[in-house]
Amino acid sequence: GTGRRLYQEHPDWFLPYGIELGVAILDLSRPEVRDFVKSAFRLFIKEWGFEGIKLDFWSYLFEEEALILPAGRMSGTEYRNWLLQTIRELLPEDGYLQLGCDIAMANPHLAAWADNYRYGRDIGSGQWETVRTNARWAAFCLNTRSGHLFVPNSDAVGVLPGLSDTELRTHLNFCLVSRTLVEIGGWLHQDREHFLMPFLQKAACCPGNGDPVHFAGFDFTAGDEIPAVWYLKGPHFSRLAGNRCLPQRTFGVFNWEESPRNFEISAGSLGLPEDREYLVKDFWSGRVTALEKFRLELAGHA
């Protein structure tokens, strides 16, 4: 902010954008600012030993070149790339760089430097509309197969007091089957006895974050609804693919609406040959049903 010492000492280092609101944003088009930023990240990583960096709310202004880069001769994209490459070169080889907000959302050009991108809104203490929003954004991001480039991230899972028990299960299952479960939030030591804790521990053991996700019977050109059936081609807790002794599919069925809804899943809708017999095992209860007899009625938000 404008009240900080750095702004008081070097007001010319900052962009004119947002000053009237008390917001001070460094102008990376200035060589002295780039030197300062690089020295700051060197301090964090090389001297203080941080092995991961998250950039949040960082990208918007690189796109407003005429407004925010008055001193520069490069484009906003080039300055953005300079920033990311600088951080990547300072991080250890197995270090971690996460991006959040705006143009980080499934942008393939950022995958050269980033391991992970946050596409979702902050889950906070939990709001059902936020869960729905994140699921909608996830579906359209994942449909681009962005997981081939870097791991998508829907913010955190945890014991969220703003969600009902049913909604907590739904949110956890969404993060699990979308392969976006990469953050855990909240004071979990205060919730050791909560019913969700065993499920949360199990779901956090995901060896396949970023693996391709598919959608049964869904047409992305028809509207902006949230897919009801999400599935993975293979088991959830194994990296083995095509092993006949392991599950052939992992799927989640969601009712994103208020009213109850009935579902019927076929082998063909999951991309499986229809001339074979399949068993469905409930991920959490262990109940086994023949797929041809699989019928499901879900309450709202379930």
Side-chain angles (χ1 to χ4, degrees), residues 18-63:
I19 296 300
E20 69 280 2
L21 302 175
V23 177
I25 302 172
L26 286 166
D27 181 359
L28 286 183
S29 68
R30 295 180 174 274
E32 63 272 28
V33 173
R34 294 198 298 276
D35 289 341
F36 171 77
V37 169
K38 187 171 184 177
S39 68
F41 280 111
R42 184 182 291 111
L43 175 68
F44 300 150
I45 297 167
K46 298 298 185 182
E47 297 188 32
W48 292 356
F50 284 95
E51 298 179 354
I53 297 290
K54 174 184 178 182
L55 295 181
D56 210 358
F57 294 97
W58 66 284
S59 62
Y60 303 90
L61 296 175
F62 287 110
E63 300 166 74

Side-chain angles (χ1 to χ4, degrees), residues 112-142:
W113 301 281
D115 302 290
N116 169 241
Y117 73 95
R118 262 281 308 280
Y119 64 81
R121 294 171 58 186
D122 292 342
I123 196 64
S125 61
Q127 288 182 313
W128 175 246
E129 280 308 308
T130 300
V131 175
R132 280 173 44 88
T133 296
N134 288 354
R136 178 179 288 108
W137 289 355
F140 285 86
C141 283
L142 296 174

Side-chain angles (χ1 to χ4, degrees), residues 166-235:
T166 295
E167 292 166 348
L168 281 171
R169 292 177 184 269
T170 301
H171 179 240
L172 181 58
N173 277 300
F174 151 66
C175 290
L176 186 155
V177 79
S178 63
R179 287 298 205 234
T180 63
L181 175 57
V182 291
E183 293 186 30
I184 298 175
W187 302 104
L188 298 186
H189 68 285
Q190 299 177 1
D191 298 302
R192 289 190 297 267
E193 304 305 319
H194 195 279
F195 86 92
L196 192 70
M197 288 303 293
F199 304 138
L200 184 59
Q201 290 174 309
K202 185 174 183 179
C205 300
C206 178
N209 287 134
D211 280 357
V213 181
H214 307 269
F215 307 94
F218 189 78
D219 181 4
F220 279 92
T221 67
D224 63 352
E225 294 305 309
I226 312 172
V229 181
W230 307 45
Y231 70 91
L232 315 170
K233 292 185 176 180

Side-chain angles (χ1 to χ4, degrees), residues 31 153 159 162 183 203 207 227 250 265 275:
N153 172 355
V159 179
E183 293 186 30
T250 302
I265 310 298
D275 59 349

Side-chain angles (χ1 to χ4, degrees), residues 46-111:
K46 298 298 185 182
E47 297 188 32
W48 292 356
F50 284 95
E51 298 179 354
I53 297 290
K54 174 184 178 182
L55 295 181
D56 210 358
F57 294 97
W58 66 284
S59 62
Y60 303 90
L61 296 175
F62 287 110
E63 300 166 74
E64 300 290 343
E65 296 175 13
L67 172 66
I68 68 158
L69 298 172
R73 295 183 178 179
M74 296 194 297
S75 67
T77 298
E78 289 173 296
Y79 286 117
R80 182 195 70 196
N81 293 350
W82 173 88
L83 176 63
L84 297 178
Q85 183 170 338
T86 296
I87 297 172
R88 190 82 251 181
E89 290 175 349
L90 289 169
L91 285 169
E93 185 176 353
D94 60 348
Y96 180 84
L97 177 57
Q98 175 180 328
L99 306 179
C101 300
D102 196 35
I103 56 174
M105 190 171 177
N107 184 335
H109 301 291
L110 304 184

Side-chain angles (χ1 to χ4, degrees), residues 251 253 263-265 280 289-296:
F251 67 90
V253 186
F263 295 89
E264 183 175 336
I265 310 298
V280 177
T289 309
L291 180 58
E292 63 185 40
K293 298 180 180 179
F294 181 76
R295 305 289 185 275
L296 187 64

